[in-house]
Amino acid sequence: MAEPSHYASEQRSADLRWWAAANYLTVAQIYLQDNALLREPLHPDHIKPRLLGHWGTSPALSMIYTVLNRLIRDTGQDCLYVTGPGHGGPALVACAYLDGTYSEVYPKVSADADGLTALVRQFSTPGGIPSHVSVQTPGSIHEGGELGYALAHAAGAAFDRPDLLVACVIGDGEAETGPLSASWKLPAFLQARRDGAVLPILQLNGYKISGPTVLGRASDEEVSAYLHSQGWEPVVVAGDDPEVVIGDLHRAVAAARARIVEIQRRARSAGASAGVAGPERWPAIILRTPKGWTGPHTVDGVQVEGTHRAHQVPLAGVKQNPEHLAQLEAWMRSYRPEELFDDAGRLVADLQELAPAGGKRMSATPYANGGLLVTPLPIPALEPYACAVTAPGAGVHENTEPLGRLLRDIYRADTREDGGGTFRLFCPDETASNRLQAVFEATDRCLQTAPLPTDDHLSPEGRVMEVLSEHLCQGWLEGYLLSGGHGLFATYEAFAMVSASMLVQHTKWLQHAETLPWRADVASLNVLLTSTCWRNDHNGFSHQGPGLIDTAIPLSPDVVRVWLPPDANTTLSIARHCLNSRNHVNLMVVDKQPHLQFLSLDEAEAHCAVGAGVWHWAGTEAGDDRSPTDGPDEEPDVVLAAAGDVPTLETLAAAALLREYVPYLRVRVVNVVDLMALLPPDDHPHGFGEKFFRELFTADTDVVFAFHGYPRAVHQLLHGRENPGRFHVRGFSEQGTTTTPFDMVVLNRMSRYHLVLEALRRARRVPERGRELAAYCHAQLERHHDYVREHLEDMPEISGWRWPAQG
């Protein structure tokens, strides 16, 4: 590829020196704890006792960074750098240091000799920084430790940010993952009028940690054809001569940016009414360079550069092996550090000038510190969306439908003139299925193709992101949030497990971000789990699984929240809280099907603010049915507790049976919305204090707890509470099939009849008619078994049950 005339030889020479400085600091971070500038001969004492880090991908990452710096200085382009090969952390730390940002963020790592010593000592050492492009790295929104999400995060960062170019490096190892393979479909969703652009750079160095990669062994023609089939227009830059490659890469990047600007100019001048003929064909770059480029070619007679052996530490044992130590010193001196850093240890002046200014630096861009850009979400007052509740348990409504109307009006209030905004809903083809379809009154599903007459609320201008990949939905949302947006990921509960490890990684990111004062607060990751295990009776066992709760609850207590609203109004209250929150991962578990409604909006707001409460109207601790011998301060004989919509229904039905048959039994009914509040206050910020915990559950009364998920989750949370063995939890026990709604709770032994039998076993006393009630429950379970098999539906007294009117 010919070199562009405007990339003058002196510019190329300067960029190669800046790249050499980045490579030098990368090697120094991996190996050195002292003598950072080799001002004296290298000695074993200068070497770290443990060598950790990855060299193989680093030279390509820093060359791309160098070329992007040149592009930013030439054009003023806002650019965000996302690196899929996140284990190239030392390269990105080196670049941020050379930019000057690192010393601004971490003054102890100053831009001088002492700062260089601090820089190299901190890398992959106790009390220092991780080896990946982690949250501690300025300019990063993507760690890359768990491969597969780089292009999804880059896409999320570009949505609704029309001035941003996201350069996304994808390693050929990462390209083998399922999420990354799905991510190539981005052109079908990127809207040139209101969105920024993503420039994928597929970095083919040929190897993973111990063997070759699929695309690394494919020909340029085959790789180009693959990307072309996904909607991209790729060009190939390949070679091992730095002077040639950097010129070719500069030309490719400049041409890609020019193509992007033209696509956006055309779309924005045409306006929304122009329509589209199909997705834009966006540019992409295939960069093929050796793994471990410019490092040791051969070690102990075995080739390293250009092989998998360059992946991590090319020269091991340098403290003990004088030959390796000498080879390391020669390698490091090949970059000529004495020409890159002055006597004070500062980067020489002419190289300092190569970094863009201020927030244009990729290490300082506010798009990588999204809390600097986030604005309050315009959430309307909840009253117009609330369900009218004249009496608890008397009316039925779909719990998520009012939330859909609230989200619709958030979209309306949030939309800019160009069609963009700061809020998006992400959902795998299930928005209407999850009863959130009211959003389509404000916007459509997004797809960059000309709509067909048979399409339903589909347009290139749409901002509801539906794609049949949980990885893409959550990855897009994470990138969107970390760059300053708000959003919600709604998915079937069982299939949220597809992207469960992404949630773990995002939680870890937020956990460490909280410790960094320079990281501004970002909007929370909100996950709505609906189509839940208890109401996927029609789909069957594959759709029945509440496991994401178990995945989330052991994670950082400063980050994770799990909410189990029992009805529509509590769902509204919790959703507003989650959408307003910062730096959290919120799981909202609420089913979409019609459910009984219990609390007015005011009652729901008060209940959710506390996190749990005694539903006095449902219990028999006070009232006409109490025994004359019961004192006013006597504790209940048994506590019925519930967390979740279906468990609440079954608990109330059990309470009604106990009231009817054994009215003298003192029953307390407790509803829990904030699951993490069951933890002691020392273990979670929401944890109930011991006094309030006793007010809910007493000190020693047995508690029959109906829970939405696996019973072990509640037992885990109650560990450390007083006498936790008195809690008897019923929940999902991995029993399911295609059956009726009530049969699901029967199969898992969480039905009202099972709860009554458990309450009778655990109560302080078994009152008169207790045996009769137990016999009735057993008979009803037998009757249910036969009835559903004969009639193929639940018994009328089950499907039509309402909370009985009192009086």
Side-chain angles (χ1 to χ4, degrees):
M1 183 184 294
E3 188 175 329
S5 58
H6 64 272
Y7 191 43
S9 60
E10 61 271 20
Q11 293 175 322
R12 178 178 61 186
S13 176
D15 286 349
L16 284 170
R17 290 173 61 224
W18 201 93
W19 180 54
N23 286 337
Y24 178 83
L25 292 182
T26 298
V27 182
Q29 288 178 85
I30 294 173
Y31 283 96
L32 301 186
Q33 62 176 334
D34 201 356
N35 193 19
L37 285 173
L38 298 185
R39 296 287 167 81
E40 58 182 285
L42 200 57
H43 187 274
D45 290 344
H46 301 148
I47 306 299
K48 290 175 179 172
R50 299 171 71 237
L51 300 181
L52 304 171
H54 296 75
W55 166 249
T57 190
S58 293
L61 294 181
S62 54
M63 178 173 276
I64 296 167
Y65 196 103
T66 305
V67 170
L68 289 171
N69 268 355
R70 175 69 62 180
L71 177 79
I72 295 166
R73 288 191 65 212
D74 287 347
T75 65
Q77 175 69 57
D78 285 317
C79 191
L80 175 66
Y81 193 42
V82 174
T83 56
H87 44 240
L92 272 295
V93 171
C95 291
Y97 182 81
L98 296 175
D99 273 353
T101 305
Y102 208 91
S103 298
E104 295 169 7
V105 171
Y106 302 109
K108 291 184 178 179
V109 187
S110 50
D112 53 25
D114 289 341
L116 278 174
T117 300
L119 181 78
V120 301
R121 282 186 61 85
Q122 70 174 0
F123 181 77
S124 287
T125 56
I129 62 172
S131 64
H132 284 75
V133 186
S134 58
V135 64
Q136 291 90 345
T137 306
S140 175
I141 65 164
H142 173 84
E143 176 159 331
E146 182 173 305
L147 298 177
Y149 314 128
L151 192 49
H153 285 160
F159 292 147
D160 288 325
R161 296 175 181 98
D163 298 326
L164 181 63
L165 170 63
V166 187
C168 179
V169 185
I170 298 127
D172 45 356
E174 179 177 31
E176 295 180 358
T177 66
L180 200 287
S181 295
S183 296
W184 289 118
K185 297 174 178 60
L186 175 60
F189 299 94
L190 198 64
Q191 214 280 338
R193 193 169 78 91
R194 55 147 190 256
D195 296 333
V198 176
L199 175 61
I201 302 172
L202 178 58
Q203 212 284 293
L204 302 180
N205 60 36
Y207 293 92
K208 304 187 285 284
I209 190 170
S210 60
T213 61
V214 173
L215 293 183
R217 291 290 170 91
S219 68
D220 291 344
E221 292 74 19
E222 289 170 329
V223 179
S224 295
Y226 174 65
L227 295 191
H228 193 272
S229 74
Q230 301 297 298
W232 303 91
E233 194 66 62
V235 298
V236 178
V237 175
D240 59 6
D241 183 339
E243 291 198 16
V244 174
V245 172
I246 200 169
D248 290 348
L249 183 59
H250 178 275
R251 177 186 177 188
V253 168
R257 196 257 178 185
R259 167 69 177 155
I260 287 166
V261 169
E262 174 56 26
I263 290 172
Q264 293 175 335
R265 184 202 61 76
R266 188 173 63 247
R268 293 168 189 179
S269 61
S273 61
V276 296
E280 296 286 356
R281 192 167 289 281
W282 298 89
I285 296 172
I286 300 166
L287 175 63
R288 196 185 290 269
T289 57
K291 196 175 185 80
W293 199 14
T294 74
H297 182 270
T298 304
V299 178
D300 296 333
V302 178
Q303 183 178 340
V304 172
E305 185 185 25
T307 77
H308 68 273
R309 297 178 183 89
H311 183 79
Q312 291 177 297
V313 180
L315 286 162
V318 289
K319 283 181 84 74
Q320 298 80 27
N321 188 324
E323 292 182 2
H324 284 194
L325 182 66
Q327 194 171 3
L328 171 62
E329 182 169 1
W331 172 21
M332 296 186 71
R333 290 193 184 281
S334 72
Y335 298 117
R336 301 185 176 183
E338 68 280 1
E339 299 177 7
L340 306 175
F341 300 92
D342 64 19
D343 292 341
R346 299 184 182 91
L347 186 68
V348 295
D350 64 315
L351 295 186
Q352 289 183 33
E353 294 174 358
L354 297 182
K360 291 293 183 179
R361 293 171 294 178
M362 291 182 288
S363 54
T365 176
Y367 292 104
N369 193 2
L372 299 175
L373 301 176
V374 71
T375 56
L377 194 63
I379 302 177
L382 298 183
E383 283 76 9
Y385 314 96
C387 285
V389 178
T390 56
V396 172
H397 200 87
E398 295 168 334
N399 282 347
T400 56
E401 186 275 336
L403 174 59
R405 290 186 280 117
L406 176 66
L407 297 179
R408 172 200 64 197
D409 292 344
I410 290 174
Y411 265 117
R412 286 172 172 168
D414 180 62
T415 301
R416 302 188 305 249
E417 184 178 348
D418 67 355
T422 66
F423 172 84
R424 290 203 187 191
L425 170 65
F426 300 81
C427 187
D429 192 34
E430 298 153 2
T431 303
S433 173
N434 288 330
R435 310 300 193 266
L436 303 175
Q437 67 273 16
V439 295
F440 297 131
E441 299 170 25
T443 188
D444 295 322
R445 298 174 175 89
C446 175
L447 195 68
Q448 302 307 307
T449 59
L452 299 176
T454 52
D455 287 335
D456 180 21
H457 291 98
L458 185 76
S459 78
E461 302 293 327
R463 288 176 55 237
V464 174
M465 309 305 292
E466 284 196 344
V467 61
L468 203 52
S469 165
E470 286 80 6
H471 284 122
L472 288 189
C473 288
Q474 185 165 329
W476 286 348
L477 176 56
E478 288 175 354
Y480 195 71
L481 297 172
L482 292 175
S483 297
H486 303 264
L488 176 70
F489 170 34
T491 183
Y492 285 10
E493 179 184 47
F495 305 128
M497 292 301 292
V498 171
S499 56
S501 60
M502 293 184 76
L503 183 138
V504 173
Q505 296 299 321
H506 192 77
T507 301
K508 291 176 183 288
W509 179 280
L510 294 177
Q511 177 183 349
H512 277 189
E514 279 283 292
T515 69
L516 301 171
W518 60 272
R519 283 276 183 190
D521 295 344
V522 296
S524 297
L525 175 64
N526 301 309
V527 183
L528 175 66
L529 303 179
T530 185
S531 298
T532 61
C533 59
W534 301 108
R535 286 298 182 264
N536 250 304
D537 43 88
H538 58 297
N539 274 320
F541 201 29
S542 66
H543 285 57
Q544 297 158 357
L548 194 63
I549 294 174
D550 295 66
T551 298
I553 61 175
L555 303 176
S556 170
D558 289 329
V559 177
V560 170
R561 308 287 184 264
V562 180
W563 306 98
L564 292 156
D567 63 4
N569 288 334
T570 50
T571 298
L572 284 171
S573 179
I574 292 301
R576 180 184 60 189
H577 169 81
C578 293
L579 290 169
N580 277 326
S581 69
R582 298 289 185 269
N583 302 334
H584 291 160
V585 170
N586 292 304
L587 299 191
M588 295 178 281
V589 188
V590 55
D591 187 62
K592 66 186 182 184
Q593 302 291 355
H595 287 267
L596 291 179
Q597 302 300 306
F598 305 111
L599 302 181
S600 69
L601 181 60
D602 288 344
E603 292 167 336
E605 296 268 51
H607 185 54
C608 294
V610 176
V614 177
W615 285 6
H616 296 285
W617 52 268
T620 55
E621 289 184 89
D624 296 338
D625 290 334
R626 284 180 48 215
S627 167
T629 61
D630 287 341
D633 297 323
E634 291 186 27
E635 293 204 336
D637 296 312
V638 69
V639 176
L640 299 182
D645 39 32
V646 170
T648 297
L649 167 66
E650 294 304 311
T651 296
L652 290 173
L657 285 170
L658 291 168
R659 179 190 292 268
E660 177 183 355
Y661 277 83
V662 287
Y664 288 166
L665 190 72
R666 294 173 57 88
V667 178
R668 176 179 295 176
V669 175
V670 175
N671 185 264
V672 177
V673 176
D674 184 352
L675 186 66
M676 303 303 282
L678 295 177
L679 283 164
D682 289 344
D683 294 335
H684 196 280
H686 285 197
F688 293 142
E690 195 58 39
K691 181 176 182 294
F692 183 68
F693 191 83
R694 286 189 177 195
E695 290 176 3
L696 291 174
F697 301 110
T698 78
D700 54 9
T701 303
D702 278 36
V703 180
V704 178
F705 201 126
F707 175 56
H708 174 87
Y710 296 112
R712 62 177 179 257
V714 173
H715 288 299
Q716 177 180 346
L717 294 169
L718 291 170
H719 180 75
R721 290 292 186 181
E722 186 177 16
N723 191 14
R726 65 193 174 96
F727 285 80
H728 313 283
V729 185
R730 297 294 181 105
F732 189 75
S733 56
E734 232 13 74
Q735 300 298 315
T737 184
T738 302
T739 186
T740 68
F742 188 66
D743 198 42
M744 275 296 297
V745 293
V746 171
L747 288 172
N748 288 277
R749 302 176 63 82
M750 198 193 71
S751 75
R752 59 200 67 184
Y753 303 123
H754 290 98
L755 297 178
V756 166
L757 292 169
E758 189 73 13
L760 292 174
R761 277 195 296 270
R762 304 297 180 178
R764 297 179 190 275
R765 56 197 174 114
V766 180
E768 189 179 347
R769 297 189 72 195
R771 291 180 182 271
E772 179 184 346
L773 175 55
Y776 171 78
C777 290
H778 286 298
Q780 282 293 88
L781 289 170
E782 291 179 7
R783 179 167 171 255
H784 158 79
H785 178 275
D786 296 337
Y787 188 94
V788 296
R789 283 155 180 79
E790 179 180 353
H791 298 279
L792 311 181
E793 61 181 353
D794 285 325
M795 298 183 294
E797 63 263 45
I798 298 296
S799 58
W801 187 86
R802 300 291 185 271
W803 177 252
Q806 303 301 312

